[in-house]
Amino acid sequence: MTDQEAKNYIDNAFEKLRQITSIDGIAQLAKEEPTQKNRMNDAVYPALNFSISKADIAKLVELGILDDNHAFSKDMNDKLTDPLTKLLYATAWKNGDLPKIKHIIKGVLKETDEEQAIVFHQFGRYLTKTLGQPIIDQHVIRAFGIFKPQSKGDGKEWDVAAMRRLSIVNKRHNGIIAAYKEWLGSDGLSDELRQCADYTYHVDKLLFALGKTVKYAKRKV
């Protein structure tokens, strides 16, 4: 797929998305080739039907599970009693993900520091289920960045080739993230779709597949 073909493919998909009025319509669009093979696996990433609030975080601090810096406390292990919590904590530990929790918490608390771990910070904001706060990742930002090119902050725009090479989302992409959030609440989507519960989650899933489809393929050595 050439850069122009990638641009045409993305623009065509977004035009179809603009006309969709239901969650089922988004799911149907995601089944089109070549997006089909790159869809998010619902068994791996099932919908999150819960929210996390500032009060929830305050409770964890009160219980001594989180320290004042919103990281897990040093004696966290001694406070684990529920088998499911133990299992999930152990999984995060094995994957080296324990330090990432504080960035999710910052997002829940809506702290403004987004210099590091932007994807996790935004995920925390999504978990509050606040309107206009989506999940983001490299694939979502790639798809949207190709659809609506944004400034790099140096007077130049991110081009299609740069977006297709994107592998890590960082503060350089804050402009694209802000534009994406604004677009989610605009007439770029139908009024009917924007009335659907948690519609941003389903849009994110579609853009994940679109962005993954147009990413430059790694060359086999």
Side-chain angles (χ1 to χ4, degrees):
M1 183 183 292
T2 66
D3 289 345
Q4 187 58 56
E5 288 172 338
K7 174 63 175 172
N8 293 342
Y9 171 72
I10 290 293
D11 287 351
N12 181 57
F14 271 80
E15 177 56 29
K16 290 179 179 178
L17 177 58
R18 188 180 67 83
Q19 301 174 48
I20 287 174
T21 59
S22 68
I23 301 303
D24 287 341
I26 295 179
Q28 189 59 43
L29 179 55
K31 291 179 181 179
E32 294 184 2
E33 292 292 349
T35 309
Q36 164 77 17
K37 65 181 180 181
N38 290 316
R39 287 193 301 165
M40 186 181 291
N41 188 334
D42 289 338
V44 178
Y45 298 104
L48 297 171
N49 298 320
F50 59 83
S51 63
I52 300 177
S53 67
K54 290 183 179 180
D56 292 329
I57 301 302
K59 184 65 174 179
L60 292 176
V61 174
E62 180 184 336
L63 292 172
I65 294 174
L66 297 176
D67 61 26
D68 292 337
N69 293 318
H70 298 123
F72 282 127
S73 61
K74 293 181 179 180
D75 59 348
M76 167 70 176
N77 289 335
D78 300 330
K79 300 180 182 298
L80 297 179
T81 57
D82 176 73
L84 177 58
T85 304
K86 289 180 181 180
L87 182 60
L88 296 178
Y89 181 88
T91 301
W93 180 91
K94 184 65 175 65
N95 289 332
D97 288 338
L98 291 180
K100 299 176 183 177
I101 299 298
K102 66 181 179 182
H103 299 295
I104 296 177
I105 292 171
K106 284 185 177 182
V108 172
L109 298 176
K110 300 180 182 178
E111 295 184 3
T112 57
D113 179 16
E114 298 182 51
E115 294 295 311
Q116 296 179 334
I118 290 174
V119 169
F120 282 88
H121 185 280
Q122 182 58 40
F123 184 53
R125 292 200 172 189
Y126 167 77
L127 289 174
T128 67
K129 296 304 173 80
T130 302
L131 190 64
Q133 295 296 345
I135 301 171
I136 62 167
D137 76 344
Q138 58 162 300
H139 302 304
V140 171
I141 295 306
R142 181 182 306 110
F144 186 78
I146 291 175
F147 171 60
K148 282 189 175 294
Q150 301 294 318
S151 171
K152 293 182 178 181
D154 58 1
K156 298 180 180 180
E157 290 183 339
W158 293 99
D159 59 24
V160 175
M163 285 290 94
R164 294 185 71 191
R165 286 193 296 268
L166 175 66
S167 60
I168 298 175
V169 177
N170 55 40
K171 63 181 180 181
R172 296 185 305 153
H173 306 107
N174 280 342
I176 302 176
I177 295 170
Y180 176 50
K181 291 181 182 181
E182 181 178 356
W183 173 81
L184 283 169
S186 75
D187 59 9
L189 297 171
S190 69
D191 291 337
E192 295 88 346
L193 182 61
R194 285 185 281 121
Q195 296 303 312
C196 296
D198 208 13
Y199 74 94
T200 61
Y201 166 74
H202 299 280
V203 172
D204 287 335
K205 285 179 63 178
L206 174 64
L207 266 59
F208 175 94
L210 294 174
K212 193 171 182 180
T213 299
V214 300
K215 183 176 183 178
Y216 279 140
K218 292 183 178 180
R219 293 181 179 179
K220 295 183 179 181
V221 179

